[in-house]
Amino acid sequence: MYALVDANSFYCSVERSFNPSLEGKAVIVLSNRDGNVVARSDEAKKLGIKMGQPFFELKELREQHEIAVFSSNYTLYGDISSRFMSLLCRFVEDVEVYSIDEAFLHVDGYDSIYPSYEGLGKSIKETVAKRLRIPVCVGVGPTKTLAKLANKLAKQRPELGGVCVLDTPEVIDKALATFPVGDLWGVGSKSAAKLKKNDIDTAAQLRDVPDDWIRQIMTVNGLRLVHELRGFPCKLLEVSAPPKKSICTEPGFGRLVPDLNTITDALTTHLTRVCEKLRKQDSLCSAVVVSLHTKRYRKIPANGLPALQYHNHLTVVLPHPTNSTPELLKYAESGLKAIFKFGYNYQKVGIMLIGLVPSDYRQKGIFAEGPNEKLLTLATVVDKLNYRYGQDKLRLASQMYNPDWPMKQEYLSKCYTTRWKDILEAH
DNA sequence: TCTGGGGTCCTAGGACCC
DNA sequence: TCTGGGGTCCTAGGACCC
């Protein structure tokens, strides 16, 4: 049996846990640069605020109702998340961290400690509430898909007390009979539409379709999903996260930028961040993809001419895998120069590291040089110093510092758990 | 009459997840 | 004024190999 433990409105709950006066009030958390809504408390959902809704659209609503607004504070959420996961590891041996706010658990073989799955679920819920003041729901089922479904029911039906166990065929049948097929894990909007066309509206109906048919319309993923609904596990627990296969970043500038110099500065900064992640997972990358975009949603200006659009990307294959920032920068910059076109107002530049291989992988081309070992060592030293003395204390001369564009974060909370000066004071 | 058969690797695009 | 960001997996088709 699998359990899925998932925090309720995680980002909002974290903000609340350090500010109890927000209890019972509408809370929202915004995306980078305060652009869109990425998390909503139940009260905010009731006001009709949609996931992903642009923040500026809420102006009127905010005048009518009291809504607590926060910029996203990933330092804080990340730290609370890791505390959350460590708590879960005290309950069972096998824990798969599935996302920042949810984890799958293997829950078999603990009968002597927890006589029932309900008991285990309640115990987890109470402990997380007590230690972190984060509300969670627990769903239990014979497969990950059913655990996920159970979790959703636990959230929807307050009478369950936050724990839903699907353990017998009868209980599972009953749950599937009314569960909308589009709410299943792995059914997105496209598949939901296709299924609807074929008169499949509930999870129970999907469970009973022929294998060949579902494979045809939803590929092997759909087949796996159907088997999971029938109670045969196809998705197993991944206790140790496999290394990432690609690492990318593509944040917007926050304003429109026409010149290559500024864009190159931003590229250097982005590259510095992704290289740090690359080295942290102990990998080398064998190619970089640079991309450049103008702004998509620009309104047609007064002169009636739509803003010129330009989107392009280029893959630069390296002569040998590396994780050295200056070395990668050379190739990334050449890629940028190749796709940059004068005369546009750009919104963002992106960088993606692909073809990641373990760092002990040293495959030399017959005539090409291997990675420069000195540069690799240098990168390690730079990381250590920056970890100790603060991000970007040691940086490339070409990296923009104190960027002049606004990193809009008007509603940022403090880093209560990771920065000495931000620790709460008790009076 | 009859025009092989089996495989790998890469890429772009689609779909999905949080 | 103002519209996010970071990932994974699968498939079909092309190119290539023997």
Side-chain angles (χ1 to χ4, degrees):
Chain A
M1 294 288 276
Y2 297 86
L4 177 68
V5 185
D6 188 323
N8 306 352
S9 315
F10 182 60
Y11 299 167
C12 295
S13 298
V14 172
E15 297 293 353
R16 258 184 191 157
S17 70
F18 288 93
N19 191 346
S21 69
L22 298 173
E23 213 62 53
K25 294 188 182 153
V27 180
I28 58 172
V29 175
L30 306 175
S31 64
N32 277 354
R33 260 180 294 281
D34 298 346
N36 304 57
V37 177
V38 293
R40 309 152 296 157
S41 70
D42 282 340
E43 296 80 3
K45 287 176 194 169
K46 275 183 196 137
L47 290 178
I49 300 172
K50 298 272 178 294
M51 183 69 178
Q53 192 167 2
F55 179 51
F56 70 87
E57 288 181 7
L58 299 182
K59 194 163 181 283
E60 233 172 85
L61 200 65
R62 287 176 63 212
E63 283 162 6
Q64 296 158 4
H65 300 91
E66 193 186 340
I67 302 172
V69 179
F70 291 93
S71 305
S72 38
N73 183 344
Y74 286 108
T75 310
L76 178 64
Y77 309 151
D79 186 59
I80 300 303
S81 172
S82 61
R83 291 170 194 232
F84 172 43
M85 300 305 168
S86 332
L87 269 186
L88 296 179
C89 290
R90 295 192 195 176
F91 286 88
V92 297
E93 177 113 17
D94 296 332
V95 175
E96 172 186 340
V97 177
Y98 179 66
S99 75
I100 194 164
D101 75 326
E102 57 188 312
F104 285 104
L105 280 57
H106 249 156
V107 291
D108 289 316
Y110 300 96
D111 317 25
S112 54
I113 318 171
Y114 308 103
S116 73
Y117 296 125
E118 274 89 0
L120 174 61
K122 289 256 189 293
S123 183
I124 290 174
K125 194 173 158 53
E126 280 161 19
T127 306
V128 178
K130 186 175 165 195
R131 298 276 182 162
L132 297 174
R133 287 200 236 143
I134 302 288
V136 303
C137 283
V138 184
V140 180
T143 63
K144 284 167 108 176
T145 302
L146 288 169
K148 195 92 179 166
L149 190 154
N151 189 284
K152 215 156 211 174
L153 294 180
K155 287 206 166 128
Q156 287 167 0
R157 302 182 185 168
E159 68 273 17
L160 294 174
V163 180
C164 173
V165 178
L166 301 177
D167 48 358
T168 67
E170 296 76 38
V171 177
I172 294 173
D173 275 351
K174 207 177 152 202
L176 296 192
T178 53
F179 196 86
V181 79
D183 290 353
L184 284 167
W185 186 40
V187 179
S189 58
K190 305 276 178 186
S191 303
K194 277 190 219 166
L195 293 171
K196 198 148 200 128
K197 233 183 185 169
N198 288 279
D199 292 324
I200 293 168
D201 299 312
T202 67
Q205 288 170 321
L206 181 63
R207 176 198 55 195
D208 299 332
V209 301
D211 287 4
D212 293 348
W213 182 80
I214 192 64
R215 195 179 203 290
Q216 228 175 8
I217 77 156
M218 279 181 71
T219 78
V220 69
N221 290 316
L223 187 58
R224 282 189 194 127
L225 166 60
V226 167
H227 280 244
E228 289 243 318
L229 285 177
R230 294 174 189 161
F232 304 114
C234 297
K235 308 179 183 192
L236 304 179
L237 211 67
E238 283 178 5
V239 175
S240 53
K244 290 198 194 321
K245 296 176 176 176
S246 67
I247 298 174
C248 70
T249 186
E250 199 179 53
F253 298 130
R255 62 172 168 85
L256 297 178
V257 174
D259 66 292
L260 182 59
N261 275 346
T262 313
I263 297 175
T264 307
D265 280 355
L267 180 73
T268 311
T269 304
H270 299 349
L271 188 75
T272 304
R273 293 289 92 79
V274 288
C275 284
E276 282 163 2
K277 285 191 188 173
L278 180 69
R279 293 191 291 264
K280 199 169 174 197
Q281 79 157 23
D282 210 12
S283 295
L284 307 175
C285 95
S286 13
V288 290
V289 185
V290 184
S291 59
L292 197 54
H293 303 272
T294 51
K295 195 168 172 58
R296 264 185 311 176
Y297 299 103
R298 285 190 84 188
K299 289 199 185 101
I300 293 177
N303 62 16
L305 296 172
L308 290 177
Q309 293 290 324
Y310 176 66
H311 306 275
N312 204 351
H313 64 94
L314 183 72
T315 306
V316 183
V317 179
L318 313 180
H320 53 258
T322 183
N323 62 18
S324 151
T325 309
E327 208 180 359
L328 278 160
L329 182 61
K330 211 168 55 185
Y331 298 103
E333 258 187 278
S334 75
L336 176 63
K337 278 194 184 124
I339 59 173
F340 176 81
K341 272 200 202 168
F342 184 76
Y344 294 91
N345 283 312
Y346 292 100
Q347 187 205 9
K348 55 187 175 184
V349 61
I351 182 98
M352 172 151 61
L353 308 181
I354 60 174
L356 306 193
V357 293
S359 69
D360 51 16
Y361 172 95
R362 301 270 198 279
Q363 189 194 50
K364 296 190 177 182
I366 297 179
F367 297 111
E369 310 159 34
N372 185 327
E373 299 291 337
K374 271 190 182 167
L375 283 178
L376 301 192
T377 313
L378 176 66
T380 314
V381 173
V382 170
D383 286 343
K384 272 189 190 158
L385 288 171
N386 282 338
Y387 179 75
R388 182 157 173 191
Y389 295 105
Q391 189 173 67
D392 290 336
K393 275 287 182 296
L394 206 54
R395 61 186 181 270
L396 292 176
S398 64
Q399 185 184 336
M400 184 175 34
Y401 200 60
N402 287 331
D404 59 340
W405 49 62
M407 179 61 189
K408 213 171 130 199
Q409 286 187 313
E410 259 179 73
Y411 312 96
L412 194 61
S413 52
K414 293 184 171 184
C415 294
Y416 303 106
T417 56
T418 53
R419 198 178 291 158
W420 287 111
K421 68 180 175 62
D422 285 355
I423 287 180
L424 283 178
E425 282 176 33
H427 296 279

